[in-house]
Amino acid sequence: MKLVLFDCDGTLVDSAGLIHETMRRTFVAFDKPEPTFEATKAIIGLTLDIAIARMQGKQHADDEAVAMMAHYKSLFTVVRADLDYKEPLFDGIRELIDTIGPRDDLLLGAVTGKSRRGLDMVMSTHGFDQYFVVGRTADDCPSKPHPAMVTECCDVMGVKPADTLVIGDAIYDMQMAKAAGATAIGVAWGYASVAELNEAGADHIVHHPSELLPLIG
């Protein structure tokens, strides 16, 4: 039995546009300079308070970052409705999940910096909740690259980290996987470069979801 854990933003769904617009409105509301799209992409994967702090050059989340996080969360569904944005799946993801989801030798899960509500929305929107049996979010665990999201999923499902694959697009995903003792697979269609993923410890790099099938086994 293998456990296959997917990051969400940048791996399953292309949510950078939605995240950036919500972040932009948040910074404007707090009289901060508007962040660039590249600055937003660089922090996708972290929990929100840490992400917002990093975007301002801070190493740790302070009270202002926590307040901005709360404002971001209050805006997210509003922006999603304004843009009529449903966080589309990356090309090939639907076919991949429909192929591996029904398999008896695999357990699927999600490890994400999104909130539990945000993850549930993505899963239900795309019909993946029938396949994903475990998940950890920013509401449950410390921010990536802390290994807790992976190790807790392993504990719940009774699978060793050595039998676990972590699939993600961010350096934090690779670092988290290696810290947990799992296999780290970087995807080239997300928000970090291949060079960054390799430097962060990726065991494998794939350029299309179909390339994951032989690695999953």
Side-chain angles (χ1 to χ4, degrees), residues 126-185:
H126 296 292
F128 287 170
D129 39 6
Q130 63 178 316
Y131 296 132
F132 281 70
V133 296
V134 67
R136 286 295 182 271
T137 72
D139 295 333
D140 310 311
C141 294
S143 178
K144 301 173 184 181
H146 193 285
M149 289 187 185
V150 176
T151 56
E152 288 191 16
C153 286
C154 289
D155 290 344
V156 169
M157 303 313 298
V159 178
K160 297 177 181 178
D163 296 320
T164 300
L165 309 178
V166 176
I167 301 167
D169 73 298
I171 60 172
Y172 317 113
D173 298 314
M174 304 301 99
Q175 294 166 343
M176 174 180 66
K178 302 309 289 184
T183 298
I185 302 177

Side-chain angles (χ1 to χ4, degrees), residues 15-195:
S15 50
L18 175 59
I19 292 171
H20 177 65
E21 177 59 17
T22 310
M23 195 68 77
R24 188 193 69 78
R25 295 189 194 188
T26 298
F27 272 60
V28 168
F30 281 77
D31 295 320
K32 305 289 184 184
E34 294 187 19
T36 65
F37 185 59
E38 292 303 317
T40 300
K41 287 202 302 181
I43 54 77
I44 293 176
L46 296 172
T47 54
L48 274 173
D49 53 346
I50 294 174
I52 289 168
R54 293 276 181 89
M55 292 176 76
Q56 298 179 76
K58 304 172 185 176
Q59 291 302 309
H60 304 286
D62 55 14
D63 289 344
E64 182 180 54
V66 172
M68 291 176 73
M69 174 180 68
H71 188 74
Y72 178 105
K73 288 184 175 181
S74 72
L75 283 179
F76 193 80
T77 53
V78 174
V79 176
R80 195 172 190 262
D82 284 353
L83 300 180
D84 192 23
Y85 197 86
K86 304 304 181 188
E87 293 142 302
L89 297 172
F90 284 102
D91 180 51
I93 289 295
R94 167 73 61 193
E95 293 79 5
L96 172 70
I97 301 303
D98 285 346
T99 298
I100 66 175
R103 284 174 49 176
D104 293 333
D105 60 331
L106 300 176
L107 300 167
L108 304 191
V111 283
T112 174
K114 296 178 84 67
S115 67
R116 172 63 60 177
R117 183 178 68 171
L119 176 62
D120 289 347
M121 187 177 298
V122 168
M123 291 289 115
S124 62
T125 295
H126 296 292
F128 287 170
D129 39 6
Q130 63 178 316
Y131 296 132
F132 281 70
V133 296
V134 67
R136 286 295 182 271
T137 72
D139 295 333
D140 310 311
C141 294
S143 178
K144 301 173 184 181
H146 193 285
M149 289 187 185
V150 176
T151 56
E152 288 191 16
C153 286
C154 289
D155 290 344
V156 169
M157 303 313 298
V159 178
K160 297 177 181 178
D163 296 320
T164 300
L165 309 178
V166 176
I167 301 167
D169 73 298
I171 60 172
Y172 317 113
D173 298 314
M174 304 301 99
Q175 294 166 343
M176 174 180 66
K178 302 309 289 184
T183 298
I185 302 177
V187 304
W189 57 82
Y191 308 139
S193 68
V194 169

